[in-house]
Structure formats: structure tokens, C-alpha cells
Amino acid sequence: MSETPDPTPGPFPPSEAFTAQAVGQASLCEDAGADRLAFWAKQARERLTWSKDFDEVLDWSDAPVAKWFVGGELNVAYNCADRHVEAGNGERVAIHFVGEPGDEQAITYADLTERVQRAAGALRAAGVEAGDRVAIYLPMIPEAVISMLACARIGAVHSVVFGGFSADALRTRIADGEAKVVITADGGYRRGKPSALKPDVDEAVSGETSVQRVLVVKRTGEDVTMGDKDMWWDEALEAAEPVVEVESFDAEHPLFILYTSGTTGKPKGIFHTSGGYLTQAAYTNAVVHDVHPDTDVYWCTADVGWITGHSYITYGPLANGATQVMYEGTPDTPHQGRWWEIIADKKVSIFYTAPTAIRTCMKWGEEIPQEYDLSSIRVLGSVGEPINPEAWMWFRDVIGAGEAPIVDTWWQTETGAIMMSPLPGVTALVPGSAQAPVPGITADVVDEEGRSVPNGESGYLVIRDPWPSMLRGIWGDRQRYEDTYWSRFPDMYFAGDGAKRDEDGNIWVLGRVDDVMNVSGHRLSTSEIESALVSHDTVAEAAVVGAADETTGQAVCAFVILREESRENYAEDAAREELVQELRTHVGRQIGPIAKPRQVLVVDELPKTRSGKIMRRLLKDVAEGREAGDATTLADPSVMAQIQAGLKK
Ligand code: PRX
């Protein structure tokens, strides 16, 4: 070994054999470069079935709200289910479901179509009409995908709420979207035990609510209370008239709302529509993951409660007619080899996961995956946060036999589908970098004034031109949409991420430049957690920062000041420790366990500028164990010394 190891291994060009069979070829770049709109029109027409062809590719006259494939009509659910049966692939497995306790289902495209038609009937019977909102709060079971497609089939708008969110979080999301129906389950299996969901729904729909009906999937069989609005899913499907007909909807018909954290305390309802979204989800899943529907077995480990689950479990792969694995549980239940066991058993060939999960598996040790036959793997993917080159190399060497290409895919809830990624049959891979926009997308790194930065420099990541799967807004709040994404740079979408362009022109995403944290690939808002903390009786003020964490990327660290009247009660170490645990639990209850701070530090003061703004940068230094940086702009420069002295006590 050389004394100074090369900091960035690679680049790794694709093998000739891989390129020869790849779905995404270099010609894509030429086509998109020659005529971007014609390129997208071709993707839309070739990848989807339209009941009425569109007459205009893009209407940008109401910018920044785009209309794609104007005049076109389609049914999204038909595109993801029925048409594959009509094409003779009804017996192909759409979903290999693996439950955490070990129960399995192989759902063919014919089964899927039938179950979606029945579920759509149950929704209709519950009074759901096109345009109505349906909240989905389910574990990772097939009914999650079936419910989403059932909504799409009748033109209802789904709002999936991650099952790990609290009753409070569910209530606000239901209220913001004025959902008429909630689809939930008694519970799901998590870490070897049933974990209840229904009680949270009961709490979320109690009192005044827009919800008229709650459909309950029986998964764990645990006792639940069934009230007036509640109906068992199976019974509702049994009683319903299946929706066999395929209704056509406008290309811009709303498809879903998905809430994500922003820089303020209120989550944003990101709103997506039909034709453009499905086009880009299907296209990127085909060319980036290199999906060959007749031979591959694809597995994306995300939860359907996040955008990755929407685009790369439900919509992209099913539109492409792919076979995929869906797994309910955690990677270490009942043992740390569970994922690899599933890959070996189902012969998974394409595996898409998050850097946090890869780093966790690295910690558990490579002996664990080495016990399993992973020779079916031929493409690996990463999403949600920057992947460090060490994790990249481990993934490729240990899971990909040193050969499988890794696609590091950068995108967001707002972008709807992958925006930057290498193409596995074309790009020479650079570990740690998402490298370049996919053909059809124009991403750039710009300086404060919006000018492209030269190679070797850093700046802000922007998208220059509208793209088919772009958000159409924030539900019910056009102004917030314009302010959040389009005001920083005129005529450019600002993603909120910082990025660097290296000497070879590759783009490296550096992470958020706003008050949004990324914990285990999940987006969390500092101010949302701060609001949760100050809603506790003892807390006067709170400041939250994302501190670097080896496994989760960032971890939530909170600094709190207690109310005057509480200070005395918590002066002793033991009482204070108890309070810290209580505050962590409180945040978990208010938002969900993922938002629980790793650390809560009780301090006497917070570092503020003269205008009263909390200097999170300094708190981040403390949370990451560094000497605090320049504190001269603080109203009281001695505050940092006090905090540090207090913490050392
Ligand atoms: O900061 C970027 C990071 O995740 C943010 C988007 O989060 P969310 O909307 O929850 O969607 C996550 C799944 C698409 C981005 O603003 N991010 C996502 N993918 C990457 C990434 N950062 C670096 N590299 C990536 N591949």
C-alpha cells in the first residue's frame, strides 16, 4: 500500500458487457441535448399508454407552475397494472412481499389489477370522488401500494403519511389536505413485535375532522376499537363493486400530496400530478436502475411513506412492469443478515438503498453478507444523502462483488424523480458523487449571483429548466411555493442544497444550506423540532442543530433553556437527566420517533446575534465537539464560554 492513500478511488468505467445490455445508452444524452422537449415527448409516448395523446409538451406560461403533456389523458393505475395483463404479462410477479415474521405473498400483475379494482370500488363506496383526498397510514404491506393505485384509478389524490409519524403529525396532514377517508391497519410488525397504528388514527380523527370513513387492514390481529367511521378493509373490498372501467384523467390531474419538512415549523404539502410525474418516474427507473422487466428482480428498501417509496416502489417499477421485492421490517430482524437472506432467496438483481443503511451494515461486519449468495446482484443504487467514498467502496466490494455499478441518485420530494445520477452503462463512476444530471435535466451549480461556477468551485445547486415530474406547488399555498423555490435566483429552481463541481466537471452534492437536517436520509426541520420542544411545560426556548454523525449522516442535537420556574426543580443531575429523557420522548410523541434528538443539552443561554437570531453554526461546533468558531457578532460574546463551561461540569 502506498503511504498516502488516494482519497478518491476510481473512476470506474462500465464493463463492455454491461454497456452492451444497458437500457440507458449514450444516445440518450445526444437526443436530449438535440431537442429536450422532443426527448421528453418521446419518453412519455414510449413508456406510457395514453388514452388521448397530448398536443403540447410543455406550457410554462403560468411559471413557475408547469403544465406537461397538455391535452393528454391517461389513467395512472391502468399504466401500472392492467396494461401489463393486457400485454400478456398477467402471470408475472409484480410484488414479492416478505413480512417481517416471515409470511410471504407473490402478487402477480393479474392479482394486483384485481385488488386495485376492488379497492377502488371500496373507496367509491366510501364516497370518494375524483379530486377528493385520501390519507394512507399503513405499514410496508402490499395494501399500501394497492391503496395508492386505487386512488389513482378513480382520480382521488392520496396523501401517504409515514407510519412512523405520530398521531399529531397525522392529524395536521389530514387537516391540511382535508382528507375524506383514511386507510390504515391495526398495526404492522416492527423489530419482532406488532406495533399498533390504529390508536394513532383514532386520536387523529377524534373531534372535528374532515374524515368520514376509516378503512382498517387487518395485519397483526391485535385488538382494536372499531368506531362508527371504521370499517374493515377486507369487508369493504368484499362488499364493493370493483371499478373495472378505466377512466381517463387529464395529464395534469392531481395524483398525490406528500408532506416534507421545510425551514419553518409547518410541513409543506408537496403536490404532484399525473402524466409528467409518471413519465419521469418510469424513465429514470428504467435507465438509471437499468430495469429489464422480464429478467430482473428489483428491490428498493425505502418506505412508501417517503417519496422514494412513491416513485421507486409504487409508480416507476410498476409502470415498467417490473418484478420487485417489498419487505415489511427492519434489516436486523430476526438477525442482521435479513436483507442478504432475502436477496439470495429472491435472486434480487437491482438493490436500491440509503447510505445510512450501508454504513450500519458496515458496522455489523462484512462477514454477515458474506454468508449469503449475492451473485444475482448486478446494479446497486444509493439515495437520500451524500454517500461517502468508503461506504461506496464497501457497497461495491462486499455487496456488488467488486463489479456492480453504483448509481448515486440525487433528487428530492419536490423533484418527484431522479434528477442527477450516473447512467450505469455509460458513466465512469466516481465514488461519492452524483456526477451529472440525467439526460433531459439541466442542473447547474451557481454562485450568489446565479452564475455557473467554474470547475473546482462550490455554490448552490439549481435546476435551470422545468422537468416533467416537478412539483406543481405546495398544497393550497402558491405564494409559499414561489417564495421557497423560485425567489433565491430568478427563473431557476433552487433545491436548498450546496454542491461542488470538481476539476472534471462532476457535481458533488454537499448537503443542505438551509435549516433542514438530513438524519438517516430523512428530512427534518430544525424549527419543527424546536416548536415541539417549546410546547413542553418546562422549556422556554430551544435551538436545534444537525450534528455530523458517523452512521446517520446527521443527528438531531437540541439546546434548551428552561423556564424560570422550572430551573430549580432540575438543578440536580439526576432530575435533569430524567427531564432530558422526557423531552426526547416528548418530541417523539409530537412528531415521530425519527425526530427524537440524540442529545438534549440544558443550557442557561443561547448564542444570539444583536438582532436576536440564534447562531446555530456555533451550536453545531459544540455539538460536534469542536471549539466554537468566531463569536464576535454575538450580542453577548461570553455566552459560548458559558455554554461550554456548563457542559463540562
Ligand atoms: O439534501 C439532499 C438529500 O436529500 C434531500 C431531499 O430529501 P427528500 O425530499 O426527503 O428526498 C430524499 C429522497 C430523494 C436533498 O435536498 N439528498 C437526496 N439524495 C442525495 C442527497 N444528497 C446527496 N446525495 C444524494 N444522492
Side-chain angles (χ1 to χ4, degrees):
M1 282 218 351
S2 68
E3 298 229 310
T4 43
D6 184 352
T8 37
F12 300 101
S15 69
E16 270 176 35
F18 193 99
T19 301
Q21 61 78 59
V23 180
Q25 296 289 335
S27 57
L28 284 178
C29 309
E30 289 150 29
D31 292 353
D35 185 341
R36 211 177 72 88
L37 293 185
F39 171 83
W40 282 118
K42 184 166 173 234
Q43 298 305 326
R45 290 196 176 106
E46 284 183 1
R47 297 187 185 280
L48 305 186
T49 304
W50 297 79
S51 46
K52 178 168 172 281
D53 192 16
F54 47 89
D55 24 59
E56 193 184 355
V57 183
L58 169 67
D59 174 359
W60 191 230
S61 58
D62 188 28
V65 178
K67 288 194 191 70
W68 279 87
F69 310 124
V70 184
E73 289 181 9
L74 79 170
N75 184 294
V76 168
Y78 168 83
N79 271 276
C80 294
D82 315 41
R83 67 168 174 154
H84 304 308
V85 182
E86 288 172 13
N89 295 319
E91 291 316 302
R92 181 185 293 165
V93 173
I95 300 174
H96 279 295
F97 171 70
V98 181
E100 203 189 69
D103 55 315
E104 295 197 5
Q105 290 178 50
I107 302 171
T108 64
Y109 274 97
D111 300 333
L112 180 69
T113 304
E114 206 217 303
R115 289 172 73 173
V116 169
Q117 289 174 352
R118 286 202 164 274
L123 288 177
R124 274 215 181 135
V128 177
E129 289 171 20
D132 285 345
R133 273 80 59 205
V134 173
I136 300 176
Y137 186 64
L138 281 171
M140 276 295 285
I141 54 177
E143 285 79 0
V145 171
I146 292 165
S147 315
M148 292 162 85
L149 294 180
C151 289
R153 187 167 197 95
I154 59 169
V157 184
H158 58 71
S159 163
V160 182
V161 179
F162 173 56
F165 277 134
S166 66
D168 259 8
L170 176 62
R171 177 188 274 284
T172 20
R173 285 157 175 78
I174 287 174
D176 189 70
E178 296 167 292
K180 208 173 193 179
V181 167
V182 179
I183 303 176
T184 188
D186 46 3
Y189 289 96
R190 206 81 198 144
R191 301 192 188 283
K193 342 186 256 289
S195 159
L197 278 178
K198 178 70 170 43
D200 287 331
V201 179
D202 295 343
E203 199 181 322
V205 304
S206 64
E208 202 174 309
T209 179
S210 53
V211 174
Q212 297 169 9
R213 164 77 72 217
V214 178
L215 297 173
V216 189
V217 177
K218 194 174 267 181
R219 168 70 184 137
T220 61
E222 301 253 291
D223 277 347
V224 294
T225 321
M226 295 293 277
D228 293 347
K229 292 180 180 168
D230 301 335
M231 190 169 181
W232 289 107
W233 170 263
D234 278 345
E235 290 171 14
L237 263 66
E238 196 59 39
E241 187 65 37
V243 180
V244 178
E245 86 273 7
V246 178
E247 198 179 334
S248 302
F249 295 99
D250 191 89
E252 284 299 334
H253 188 75
L255 183 62
F256 66 86
I257 310 170
L258 182 59
Y259 289 83
T260 188
S261 298
T263 51
T264 68
K266 189 171 177 266
K268 297 179 287 200
I270 304 299
F271 160 45
H272 284 283
T273 60
S274 304
Y277 170 78
L278 196 62
T279 298
Q280 196 173 328
Y283 156 72
T284 48
N285 178 241
V287 305
V288 173
H289 296 117
D290 195 46
V291 173
H292 299 258
D294 42 352
T295 48
D296 276 313
V297 178
Y298 164 93
W299 182 14
C300 164
T301 65
D303 190 288
V304 285
W306 310 108
I307 190 69
T308 307
H310 281 58
S311 305
Y312 297 106
I313 294 178
T314 302
Y315 291 112
L318 296 179
N320 289 332
T323 295
Q324 67 178 314
V325 168
M326 177 181 199
Y327 171 57
E328 177 185 27
T330 51
D332 54 351
T333 307
H335 57 80
Q336 293 177 336
R338 187 70 193 267
W339 274 7
W340 321 121
E341 185 179 64
I342 294 172
I343 290 179
D345 184 39
K346 296 286 177 284
K347 305 212 168 12
V348 170
S349 51
I350 306 168
F351 184 61
Y352 190 34
T353 192
T356 298
I358 299 166
R359 290 191 292 263
T360 303
C361 294
M362 279 171 81
K363 261 202 317 215
W364 292 341
E366 62 186 56
E367 326 68 76
I368 296 174
Q370 276 164 353
E371 278 175 41
Y372 299 89
D373 175 8
L374 305 181
S375 58
S376 53
I377 291 280
R378 52 174 212 90
V379 180
L380 296 170
S382 169
V383 57
E385 51 180 322
I387 176 166
N388 46 316
E390 300 72 32
W392 197 102
M393 289 307 296
W394 187 91
F395 200 27
R396 180 172 167 100
D397 288 342
V398 180
I399 310 303
E403 277 178 13
I406 299 179
V407 289
D408 176 1
T409 61
W410 175 86
W411 58 294
Q412 307 176 296
T413 306
E414 292 87 340
T415 69
I418 294 170
M419 300 295 278
M420 293 208 293
S421 171
L423 291 182
V426 178
T427 318
L429 304 170
V430 177
S433 167
Q435 298 192 264
V438 294
I441 299 297
T442 51
D444 201 357
V445 182
V446 300
D447 65 15
E448 294 283 344
E449 269 74 52
R451 291 176 299 231
S452 297
V453 302
N455 287 356
E457 290 194 14
S458 305
Y460 303 97
L461 185 58
V462 296
I463 310 295
R464 286 195 174 272
D465 298 293
W467 62 101
S469 64
M470 70 193 291
L471 74 165
R472 302 301 196 261
I474 294 175
W475 190 254
D477 199 345
R478 174 152 179 158
Q479 195 56 46
R480 191 174 176 204
Y481 167 59
E482 295 190 12
D483 294 347
T484 311
Y485 305 104
W486 300 91
S487 64
R488 178 71 182 77
F489 302 105
D491 303 327
M492 285 189 253
Y493 169 87
F494 172 47
D497 281 308
K500 181 184 84 186
R501 203 193 283 284
D502 72 15
E503 294 300 344
D504 303 314
N506 293 304
I507 297 177
W508 297 66
V509 179
L510 301 173
R512 306 289 305 192
V513 294
D514 50 15
D515 291 333
V516 171
M517 293 170 289
N518 191 326
V519 178
S520 301
H522 297 149
R523 248 162 96 167
L524 295 172
S525 141
T526 51
S527 49
E528 200 179 348
I529 301 176
E530 286 164 3
S531 312
L533 285 165
V534 294
S535 74
H536 192 271
D537 290 347
T538 58
V539 177
E541 242 187 298
V544 165
V545 295
D549 184 282
E550 238 180 49
T551 308
T552 59
Q554 285 190 317
V556 180
C557 288
F559 294 79
V560 298
I561 303 181
L562 300 186
R563 290 184 182 203
E564 204 57 56
E565 65 272 18
S566 299
R567 292 192 183 185
E568 218 173 282
N569 301 341
Y570 299 102
E572 300 295 323
D573 283 354
R576 194 172 270 215
E577 183 46 36
E578 220 169 276
L579 175 66
V580 162
Q581 292 314 328
E582 155 77 22
L583 291 175
R584 293 183 64 239
T585 312
H586 177 73
V587 174
R589 259 200 316 265
Q590 293 265 305
I591 304 174
I594 47 163
K596 265 190 187 177
R598 180 185 70 183
Q599 265 175 304
V600 178
L601 302 165
V602 180
V603 295
D604 295 328
E605 289 294 342
L606 288 171
K608 288 190 184 154
T609 60
R610 279 173 209 103
S611 61
K613 195 171 167 349
I614 295 173
M615 291 197 64
R616 290 202 177 73
R617 175 174 59 78
L618 298 176
L619 292 174
K620 207 167 157 147
D621 289 339
V622 175
E624 292 176 353
R626 280 188 304 273
E627 205 47 47
D630 182 9
T632 47
T633 53
L634 289 182
D636 174 1
S638 68
V639 165
M640 286 317 293
Q642 287 171 33
I643 290 178
Q644 266 161 335
L647 296 178
K648 280 190 199 119
K649 269 199 292 198

